[in-house]
Amino acid sequence: MFYKLLIVVFLAVNLHGTPSNGQKKKETLLSEKVSQMMEWASKRAVIRLNGEKFRRLIRAPPRNYSVIIMFTALQPQRQCAVCKQADEEYQILANSWRYSSAFTNRIFFAMVDFDEGSDVFQMLNMNSAPTFINFPAKGKPKRADTYELQVRGFAAEQLARWVADRTDVHIRVIRPPNYAGPLMLGLLLAFIGSLAYLRRNNLEFLFNKNVWAFSALCFVLIMTSGQMWNHIRGPPYAHKNPNTGQVSYIHGSSQAQFVAETHIVLLFNAAVTLGMVLLHEAATSDLDVGKRKIMCVAGIGLVVLFFSWLLSVFRAKYHGYPYSFLFG
């Protein structure tokens, strides 16, 4: 009896400690998938996926790695300028991770182009591009795993913060050297220095109030139109609906904006300012009455028309705002 009990215990321990065939197959399949992803990642920072690869490596278990996927439409016939801009920032982020000393197989960056994986777009009921989604190592993507592109923009630094929030992987974004800014600053300083040298015997223009007033006005218009927000967030220039082809230049949310929108607001503010200047000149200048009347009418027209447009833009972004002027 004792020997029978000993044999039962021995068999139970060995059977419990030995993985089943199913477990072995699962581990082998996972190892093959990780090896495949690492091989592709070693060749290019952003792995290109089609429908078959997406189903096999992302959707089908097992998977112990997270995958950030950009769903995009980069083919020329799609005419998606935003997709190209977002792709540039995405490549910067992926390369920053690929060449980082902290690079592991915990996370991979991939891309699904509409023309290479339209079935994936249909599978996920996706009708806009670009879209960034995190497919976590465990479970299905949640709402927060879809990146809020319209709110946060597609700058690599913003994407890196979102990746850190969703995966706990912190990526230090390293951008390639950009000499355009220092070069333009150098050219501007050279131009100012050359102008000052050529007019070194007559520098009265430096004390001209109109020059400084115009410079200050330009600076104020640039800042109040949202250029600094664009520089920080890196929003798209505009948004084109891939289904209808309609281009939106004004963002529908008060929490975001397009680059084109800041240009429009800058133009409207400049027109209102010009109208105020004309009204001031009409009231204080020594011109004849006829010209002053023309200036007054033009000034009123500019202020009324462009302020009405500004108000309509405000109403479009802040839904429920009750007031309007010429345009409802």
Side-chain angles (χ1 to χ4, degrees):
M1 186 69 182
F2 175 76
Y3 292 107
K4 289 182 179 180
L5 181 61
L6 189 62
I7 292 172
V8 170
V9 172
F10 177 78
L11 290 174
V13 171
N14 278 273
L15 287 173
H16 179 74
T18 304
S20 64
N21 290 334
Q23 183 68 22
K24 285 184 177 180
K25 288 179 67 176
K26 184 178 179 181
E27 292 177 356
T28 302
L29 179 59
L30 177 60
S31 177
E32 290 175 353
K33 291 172 72 172
V34 172
S35 297
Q36 181 70 85
M37 295 293 286
M38 288 294 288
E39 180 184 351
W40 286 338
S42 66
K43 295 177 180 178
R44 56 169 59 184
V46 177
I47 301 169
R48 298 186 74 97
L49 301 175
N50 54 23
E52 184 275 328
K53 292 178 181 177
F54 177 82
R55 285 186 288 271
R56 178 168 58 89
L57 297 168
I58 311 301
R59 296 281 284 191
R63 179 164 56 83
N64 63 353
Y65 50 86
S66 299
V67 184
I68 307 296
I69 300 182
M70 179 176 74
F71 296 89
T72 186
L74 293 174
Q75 297 302 316
Q77 66 268 22
R78 300 300 172 187
Q79 297 181 351
C80 183
V82 178
C83 295
K84 296 179 181 178
Q85 297 170 7
D87 179 60
E88 293 176 359
E89 293 295 314
Y90 190 57
Q91 294 287 346
I92 291 174
L93 174 63
N95 277 293
S96 298
W97 172 241
R98 176 188 175 190
Y99 295 107
S100 169
S101 58
F103 176 75
T104 65
N105 58 13
R106 287 181 57 193
I107 181 175
F108 296 97
F109 290 88
M111 172 195 303
V112 176
D113 192 282
F114 181 79
D115 291 281
E116 298 173 0
S118 58
D119 53 336
V120 180
F121 278 73
Q122 295 174 1
M123 183 193 310
L124 300 175
N125 295 320
M126 195 173 300
N127 55 15
S128 64
T131 300
F132 298 91
I133 299 179
N134 168 49
F135 291 84
K138 295 181 179 180
K140 296 181 179 180
K142 300 178 182 178
R143 184 176 180 180
D145 286 310
T146 298
Y147 181 70
E148 296 178 325
L149 178 66
Q150 307 295 346
V151 176
R152 305 178 70 170
F154 49 69
E157 290 78 8
Q158 291 293 332
L159 287 168
R161 293 189 188 100
W162 170 69
V163 170
D165 290 339
R166 304 313 305 161
T167 65
D168 288 330
V169 174
H170 297 269
I171 303 174
R172 180 172 174 265
V173 175
I174 302 176
R175 292 183 173 274
N178 184 2
Y179 302 104
L183 180 61
M184 291 300 297
L185 179 61
L187 290 175
L188 178 62
L189 293 176
F191 173 77
I192 295 175
S194 300
L195 184 63
Y197 176 77
L198 292 174
R199 301 193 60 177
R200 59 186 180 278
N201 296 324
N202 183 13
L203 297 178
E204 292 181 1
F205 71 96
L206 291 177
F207 303 96
N208 189 310
K209 293 182 179 179
N210 292 332
V211 172
W212 288 105
F214 180 76
S215 302
L217 182 60
C218 289
F219 180 79
V220 170
L221 288 174
I222 290 172
M223 291 296 105
T224 55
S225 65
Q227 297 296 330
M228 186 57 67
W229 193 93
N230 292 344
H231 179 73
I232 296 172
R233 293 294 185 91
Y237 187 82
H239 176 70
K240 183 177 181 180
N241 190 311
N243 293 328
T244 63
Q246 183 179 1
V247 180
S248 300
Y249 298 102
I250 305 296
H251 198 285
S253 169
S254 61
Q255 302 298 316
Q257 66 184 18
F258 297 132
V259 174
E261 182 179 330
T262 62
H263 296 165
I264 293 171
V265 171
L266 189 151
L267 175 64
F268 288 177
N269 282 331
V272 171
T273 303
L274 178 59
M276 298 297 293
V277 171
L278 288 176
L279 287 173
H280 178 268
E281 289 298 315
T284 60
S285 68
D286 297 329
L287 297 174
D288 59 81
V289 177
K291 291 182 178 179
R292 291 168 65 183
K293 286 183 178 180
I294 294 174
M295 293 171 64
C296 182
V297 171
I300 292 175
L302 286 172
V303 171
V304 171
L305 182 64
F306 285 94
F307 180 77
S308 299
W309 275 333
L310 272 174
L311 199 58
S312 67
V313 171
F314 187 83
R315 280 170 54 86
K317 296 181 70 65
Y318 291 84
H319 305 286
Y321 185 75
Y323 304 108
S324 62
F325 196 32
L326 294 182
F327 312 107

